[in-house]
Structure formats: C-alpha cells, structure tokens
Amino acid sequence: MIVKMKQQATKTDYDKLVQALNQRGYTIKDVSSETVKIFGVIGDTAALDVNDVKAFNGVEQVIRIQTPFKQASRTFKEDNTIITLHNGVTIGGDASVMIAGPCSVESADQLSIIAENLSRNGIRVLRGGAYKPRTSPYTFQGLGEEGLRLLRAVADRYRMAVISEIPSSEQLDVFEKYVDIIQIGARNMQNFQLLKALGQSTKPIMLKRGLSATIEEWLMSAEYLLSSGNPQVILCERGIRTFETYTRNTLDLSAVLAVKELSHLPVIVDPSHASGRWSMIEPLSKAALSVGADGLMVEVHNDPENALSDGAQSLKLPRFETMIHQLKDVAKTMGRPLK
Ligand code: PEP
Ligand code: MN
C-alpha cells in the first residue's frame, strides 16, 4: 500500500500515522523526496482498509497494491482450482462443463422428462431451483425440500450431479443431504453470515455474482468461503445490472477474463439469467466458451410457455440439443472438450 501525505501535513501527522501502522505490525518504507512525502506500507495489507488510513490527518492519497482478497488470488495459488464431483465430473480442469436444467423444479414428471433428455445429450450436472428467490412474493416460490428430493432421485437415475440454490443457512443440513453443489444466488452474494456458514460445508459452492457487484466484491465474497475453510469454490457470472433494459441483465464477459487473471477459481457463465431471452443463449454460450469460461449453466424446459418461472429464457429441449452440437465444436476449438 502506498500513502501520499498532503503538502501541508505536519511531522506530527506523519508520526501519528506511522506509529499506528507500526502498532498493527506494518513496516514503513519512506521514499519521500524534497517535494513529495510518500511511503510504502509493507506487510500483509489485506486486513488494512484504505479508508481507515485515509481517516488520518494529513493523508492525501492511499493506493492499494496488493489485492484485498488473499486465498482467492493467483498470487496465493498459481494453479487452477479443479473441483471433482462424485460422478467424476470435473470443473476447472481440461474439459468444459455444461450444467443444465429447469429454472424451478415443478413436478416429478417435468424433471424426469428434462433429465432424461439432458442425459441422452451427455449432460452430467442437473440444475433446478427448489427455493426460488422471486421478486414478487405472489409468484411460485419453489417446492422446497420436496424439490431437492426430486432432484436427487432423478439425478441418481442418470448418474448426474445436482446443483441447487440455498436460500439461507437454516437449510444447510437438508442441502448437504441432497445436493452436490450448493448455489449461492446473486441476491445472496453478500450475505456474509451465509458465506461463513457455507465455508464450513464439505460441498462445493457456486457463488453467483451479485446484481451490481464489482469483480473485487465478488472475489471478496469468495474469500469469505475460502477463509472459512471451504476450498471448493466456483464462480458464476450471470450478468450485471446496467442502464440497458432490452436484456434482463448485461453479460459481462470481460469479467471472466479478469477473474481468470486475478484468481485460480473456476468460472461458469450463466447466459440465461444474463440475457433473459432464449434466443440469445446459444451465441452467448459460444462467446463464453471462447473467452475461456470453464463451463456454462443454462436453463431448459420441456414446456417453457407454461413454465412456473423464467420460461422466456428457457430453451426448449430440441433447441438445447442442437445447441450442444454447436458448442461441442467451439469447445473443441478452444482445446477444452464439452462434457
Ligand atoms: C438461478 O440460477 O436460479 C437464479 C435465481 O439465478 P440468480 O441468482 O443469478 O438470479
Ligand atoms: Mn431462473
């Protein structure tokens, strides 16, 4: 961290700040000249808040050099994190992964039709919401535990792994019982109590990017999971809120590249929630694989027109099947076959 003092800062201002930093275990490397008073703060500055330093009298500017996230950073761990699921699927390794399924689990029939079709197309990770974070309390809220039970039963039939969104830490036991990857929804990305609780879980966690979260905030949330003891963290870019309203959100593909530079954690792209439109899923999926995403998560439905949630962004099964063939070609070109 670099600190520049104001021209009019006094020796007392300087000494007071240096003393406070020394007390917190940092050493000071002064590189002042006759005209500028400037020094470096040496040590583990992840725990040091830029604004706390700015609070001192006489401080003009504070620049962070080290990232505030430690365990999530490439500096901490150079090699990519690879997560292996119980059915042998790996996320973050040599292959790209396709996660697919309905927005919400609606019934045993709906889930069976979809899973059978997905399995026939080689899909090995089934998604489905059982506790739905809906904007309106009057819309379908999900089947709850029964939804998770259905997911498990249907997935086991096809040797698929299951991912589903957890609403709060109260449901952790039931999620541990039924799912293979616990999803943290965009709206919960900064629910720090939930992050700490899931840091204790033995299951991999997929952390969706918050609606308006910066890349740094997203990685800081990942840091909560890692520092609480769970090394199996997957990031998911699902679009962010911008001034644009034509699409549901704006897919931030540069974030995938940024996160790949900054972190060792795998990144999945969810083009369904990013665009809100089924017609955009295939081209966005191709783009996501082209920028090096580790995989995709896509919503599909056997009857999107009558889906209980997110029908407009759900692909019909035949359309999904055609897309998979196209994506396999893109993934192969990228050197990471789609599995
Ligand atoms: C979902 O994946 O079902 C979902 C609700 O996504 P998000 O949290 O990204 O809105
Ligand atoms: Mn959805």
Side-chain angles (χ1 to χ4, degrees), residues 101-104 127 129 132-134 165 183 208 248 270 272-273 297 299 309-311 313-314:
C103 176
S104 302
R127 68 145 285 146
K132 294 305 300 175
R134 306 302 302 280
E165 177 177 347
Q183 178 174 322
K208 288 196 134 192
R248 184 173 178 181
D270 169 355
S272 307
H273 292 90
M297 182 162 84
E299 287 185 342
S309 62
D310 288 351
Q313 67 194 35
S314 299

Coordinates of all heavy atoms in Angstrom, one line a residue, residues 101-104 127 129 132-134 165 183 208 248 270 272-273 297 299 309-311 313-314, ligand 2:
G101 N -30.8 -27.5 -16.8 CA -32.0 -28.0 -16.1 C -33.0 -26.8 -16.0 O -32.7 -25.7 -16.5
P102 N -34.1 -27.1 -15.4 CA -35.1 -26.1 -15.4 C -34.8 -25.0 -14.3 O -34.0 -25.2 -13.4 CB -36.4 -26.8 -14.9 CG -35.8 -28.0 -14.1 CD -34.5 -28.4 -14.7
C103 N -35.4 -23.8 -14.5 CA -35.2 -22.8 -13.5 C -35.7 -23.3 -12.2 O -34.9 -23.4 -11.2 CB -36.0 -21.5 -13.9 SG -35.9 -20.2 -12.7
S104 N -36.9 -23.8 -12.2 CA -37.5 -24.4 -10.9 C -37.9 -25.8 -11.1 O -38.4 -26.2 -12.2 CB -38.8 -23.7 -10.5 OG -38.6 -22.3 -10.4
R127 N -29.3 -28.9 -13.0 CA -29.7 -27.7 -12.1 C -31.2 -27.7 -11.9 O -32.0 -28.3 -12.7 CB -29.2 -26.4 -12.7 CG -29.9 -25.9 -14.0 CD -30.1 -24.4 -14.0 NE -31.2 -24.0 -13.1 CZ -31.2 -22.8 -12.5 NH1 -30.2 -22.0 -12.6 NH2 -32.3 -22.5 -11.7
G129 N -34.1 -25.2 -9.3 CA -34.3 -24.4 -8.1 C -35.5 -25.0 -7.3 O -36.5 -25.4 -7.8
K132 N -37.0 -20.7 -4.5 CA -36.8 -19.7 -5.5 C -36.8 -18.3 -5.0 O -37.7 -17.8 -4.3 CB -38.0 -19.8 -6.6 CG -38.0 -21.1 -7.4 CD -36.6 -21.4 -8.1 CE -36.2 -20.3 -9.0 NZ -34.8 -20.5 -9.6
P133 N -35.8 -17.5 -5.3 CA -35.7 -16.1 -4.9 C -36.5 -15.3 -5.9 O -35.9 -14.8 -6.9 CB -34.2 -15.8 -5.0 CG -33.7 -16.7 -6.1 CD -34.6 -17.9 -6.1
R134 N -37.8 -15.1 -5.7 CA -38.6 -14.4 -6.7 C -38.8 -12.9 -6.3 O -38.9 -12.6 -5.1 CB -40.0 -15.0 -6.9 CG -40.0 -16.5 -7.2 CD -39.2 -16.9 -8.4 NE -39.7 -16.2 -9.6 CZ -40.8 -16.6 -10.3 NH1 -41.5 -17.7 -9.9 NH2 -41.2 -16.0 -11.4
E165 N -30.0 -23.8 -5.5 CA -29.7 -22.6 -4.7 C -30.2 -22.7 -3.3 O -31.4 -23.1 -3.1 CB -30.3 -21.4 -5.4 CG -30.1 -20.1 -4.6 CD -30.6 -18.9 -5.2 OE1 -31.0 -18.9 -6.4 OE2 -30.7 -17.9 -4.5
Q183 N -25.6 -23.7 -4.6 CA -25.5 -22.5 -5.3 C -25.9 -21.3 -4.3 O -26.8 -21.4 -3.6 CB -26.5 -22.5 -6.5 CG -26.6 -21.3 -7.3 CD -27.5 -21.5 -8.5 OE1 -27.5 -22.6 -9.1 NE2 -28.3 -20.5 -8.8
K208 N -22.7 -17.1 -7.3 CA -23.1 -16.2 -8.4 C -22.7 -14.7 -8.1 O -22.7 -14.3 -6.9 CB -24.6 -16.3 -8.6 CG -25.0 -17.7 -9.2 CD -26.4 -17.7 -9.8 CE -26.4 -18.3 -11.2 NZ -27.7 -18.0 -11.8
R248 N -32.3 -8.8 -19.8 CA -32.6 -8.8 -18.4 C -31.5 -8.2 -17.6 O -31.7 -7.5 -16.6 CB -32.9 -10.3 -18.0 CG -33.3 -10.4 -16.6 CD -33.7 -11.9 -16.3 NE -34.1 -12.1 -14.9 CZ -34.5 -13.2 -14.4 NH1 -34.5 -14.3 -15.1 NH2 -34.8 -13.3 -13.1
D270 N -23.6 -18.1 -16.9 CA -25.0 -18.4 -17.0 C -25.6 -17.3 -18.0 O -26.0 -16.2 -17.6 CB -25.6 -18.2 -15.6 CG -27.1 -18.2 -15.6 OD1 -27.8 -18.2 -16.6 OD2 -27.7 -18.2 -14.5
S272 N -28.5 -17.5 -19.4 CA -29.9 -17.5 -19.2 C -30.4 -16.3 -18.4 O -31.2 -15.5 -18.8 CB -30.5 -18.8 -18.6 OG -30.0 -19.9 -19.3
H273 N -29.8 -16.2 -17.2 CA -30.2 -15.0 -16.3 C -29.5 -13.8 -16.8 O -30.0 -12.7 -16.6 CB -29.8 -15.3 -14.9 CG -30.7 -16.4 -14.3 ND1 -30.3 -17.7 -14.3 CD2 -31.9 -16.3 -13.7 CE1 -31.3 -18.4 -13.8 NE2 -32.3 -17.6 -13.4
M297 N -24.0 -22.6 -17.5 CA -25.2 -23.1 -16.8 C -26.4 -22.5 -17.5 O -26.5 -21.3 -17.6 CB -25.2 -22.7 -15.3 CG -26.5 -23.3 -14.6 SD -26.4 -23.3 -12.9 CE -26.9 -21.7 -12.5
E299 N -30.7 -22.7 -18.6 CA -32.0 -23.1 -18.2 C -32.7 -23.8 -19.4 O -32.7 -23.2 -20.5 CB -32.8 -22.0 -17.6 CG -32.3 -21.6 -16.3 CD -33.2 -20.5 -15.6 OE1 -33.9 -19.8 -16.2 OE2 -33.0 -20.4 -14.3
S309 N -41.5 -20.5 -13.7 CA -40.5 -19.4 -13.6 C -39.6 -19.4 -14.8 O -39.2 -20.4 -15.3 CB -39.7 -19.5 -12.3 OG -39.0 -20.6 -12.3
D310 N -39.2 -18.2 -15.2 CA -38.2 -18.0 -16.3 C -38.4 -18.7 -17.6 O -37.4 -19.1 -18.2 CB -36.8 -18.3 -15.7 CG -36.4 -17.2 -14.7 OD1 -37.0 -16.1 -14.6 OD2 -35.3 -17.4 -14.1
G311 N -39.7 -18.9 -18.0 CA -39.9 -19.5 -19.3 C -39.3 -18.8 -20.5 O -38.8 -19.4 -21.4
Q313 N -36.6 -17.4 -20.9 CA -35.2 -17.6 -21.1 C -34.8 -19.1 -21.1 O -33.6 -19.4 -21.2 CB -34.4 -16.9 -20.0 CG -34.5 -17.5 -18.6 CD -34.0 -16.6 -17.5 OE1 -34.1 -15.4 -17.6 NE2 -33.4 -17.1 -16.5
S314 N -35.8 -19.9 -21.1 CA -35.6 -21.3 -21.1 C -35.6 -21.9 -22.5 O -36.5 -21.7 -23.3 CB -36.6 -22.1 -20.2 OG -36.5 -21.6 -18.9
Ligands
MN2 MN -34.2 -18.8 -13.3

